[in-house]
Amino acid sequence: MSVVPHPKAEATGLAADSSQTRAASSSAETSLPPRPFLENSGEYSQVNPILFLDVDGPLNLWGRAGRRILNPLLRARLVQLKEDGSLNVNLVFSRLLGARLRELAKHYEICWATSWNQWANQYLSPLLGIPQDLPWVNCPNGDPRSKFSEVITSAETNSFAWVDDFLTEEVAEAVQEKLHPAQSALLISPHIMCGIDREVAHLLKWFSKMQETGREPGKREVRKAAAILTSRRVAAWLVTPGMGTCLSSRKGRS
């Protein structure tokens, strides 16, 4: 049996062996056929921003994979990607995560941006109690630089939040160069032991409410956002065409 404890170790993980992954997906049925984001027949509303979600780190707490789970709010699952048991992935989720994502779906159009690609709908959505037909952008691996063009293209002129534990200042600067007028972006790099916790969810809700005002966030809004992030477990950047601000830097990854 092959167990991949951290699918984001891309060279040996889920996305790197696309032939294995395709074999796994073809052997299982999904409630709705997966489709790339740009081919999605639906369109994003003019009100809600887009939330691009990575899996390993923000949702799957891979920093805890392989460790004994003592926290009652966490659960571990072994996901079988091939019927013969030759390719499996250890997952660790917060039991509160599904409810947090369902709440965020009231404020965002959620889109997968993960090396799980369309298989996130098949394997992860049922575990989290969220729709199994969410749009997704094609991600060849877990490096945000390889996802960048797909995220930017898919966002079009919509404001968006992007949650990925490998986001950096370099990515934030690249995003700023591509933003359209009146478009803004929130980039969040959570701790791999915590993922989308209460603090991250609070910041995401703040950003969605900022979009409702129709104004570009200024220094006052930046101070409010920075005040949310007190744990030092999260790195985050607020980006507009005229401003790129680091809201918080993270102390370590594990």
Side-chain angles (χ1 to χ4, degrees):
M1 176 188 295
S2 172
V3 176
V4 183
H6 170 212
K8 197 170 224 152
E10 307 297 351
T12 57
L14 180 63
D17 195 341
S18 58
S19 62
Q20 287 181 310
T21 310
R22 290 192 187 97
S25 64
S26 63
S27 65
E29 295 183 356
T30 55
S31 59
L32 290 173
R35 56 195 184 278
F37 174 84
L38 293 178
E39 295 179 7
N40 190 348
S41 57
E43 294 182 354
Y44 286 124
S45 69
Q46 296 300 309
V47 177
N48 289 347
I50 306 168
L51 174 56
F52 292 104
L53 277 183
D54 183 29
V55 169
D56 299 307
L59 307 188
N60 175 27
L61 306 180
W62 63 264
R64 298 180 183 270
R67 303 187 183 194
R68 186 180 180 188
I69 303 299
L70 299 176
N71 188 333
L73 291 179
L74 298 179
R75 61 173 175 164
R77 292 288 297 268
L78 185 66
V79 174
Q80 184 174 304
L81 298 177
K82 294 189 71 175
E83 288 186 342
D84 62 5
S86 62
L87 183 62
N88 302 285
V89 178
N90 282 320
L91 299 178
V92 180
F93 287 131
S94 165
R95 295 182 184 274
L96 303 176
L97 180 59
R100 286 193 178 123
L101 293 180
R102 291 189 292 272
E103 178 63 25
L104 288 171
K106 299 176 183 178
H107 308 279
Y108 286 93
E109 303 289 347
I110 296 179
C111 176
W112 295 116
T114 169
S115 57
W116 286 76
N117 290 309
Q118 69 268 41
W119 296 284
N121 279 324
Q122 179 177 341
Y123 293 105
L124 304 179
S125 292
L127 296 177
L128 297 169
I130 59 177
Q132 298 179 44
D133 60 343
L134 292 176
W136 52 278
V137 297
N138 184 43
C139 300
N141 59 57
D143 188 335
R145 292 171 297 184
S146 72
K147 306 176 183 181
F148 177 80
S149 61
E150 291 282 350
V151 167
I152 294 298
T153 300
S154 299
E156 297 182 327
T157 60
N158 297 282
S159 292
F160 64 91
W162 184 4
V163 183
D164 189 307
D165 60 311
F166 272 76
L167 290 173
T168 63
E169 187 83 26
E170 175 189 1
V171 178
E173 292 172 354
V175 166
Q176 184 178 16
E177 294 178 0
K178 296 293 185 179
L179 290 181
H180 296 272
Q183 185 182 25
S184 58
L186 175 66
L187 277 59
I188 302 177
S189 179
H191 198 290
I192 60 176
M193 300 282 279
C194 304
I196 298 182
D197 58 10
R198 182 171 56 183
E199 190 174 68
V200 171
H202 187 183
L203 183 63
L204 286 168
K205 287 182 182 179
W206 168 85
F207 182 71
S208 71
K209 290 186 180 300
M210 270 303 308
Q211 304 312 304
E212 295 174 3
T213 68
R215 304 191 309 270
E216 181 173 319
K219 292 182 179 180
R220 181 179 179 183
E221 287 75 20
V222 168
R223 288 194 296 269
K224 289 181 180 179
I228 296 171
L229 303 174
T230 59
S231 69
R232 299 300 302 277
R233 295 192 300 258
V234 179
W237 299 266
L238 179 63
V239 185
T240 69
M243 175 184 69
T245 303
C246 179
L247 301 176
S248 174
S249 57
R250 185 181 53 230
K251 293 177 62 177
R253 295 188 58 80
S254 59

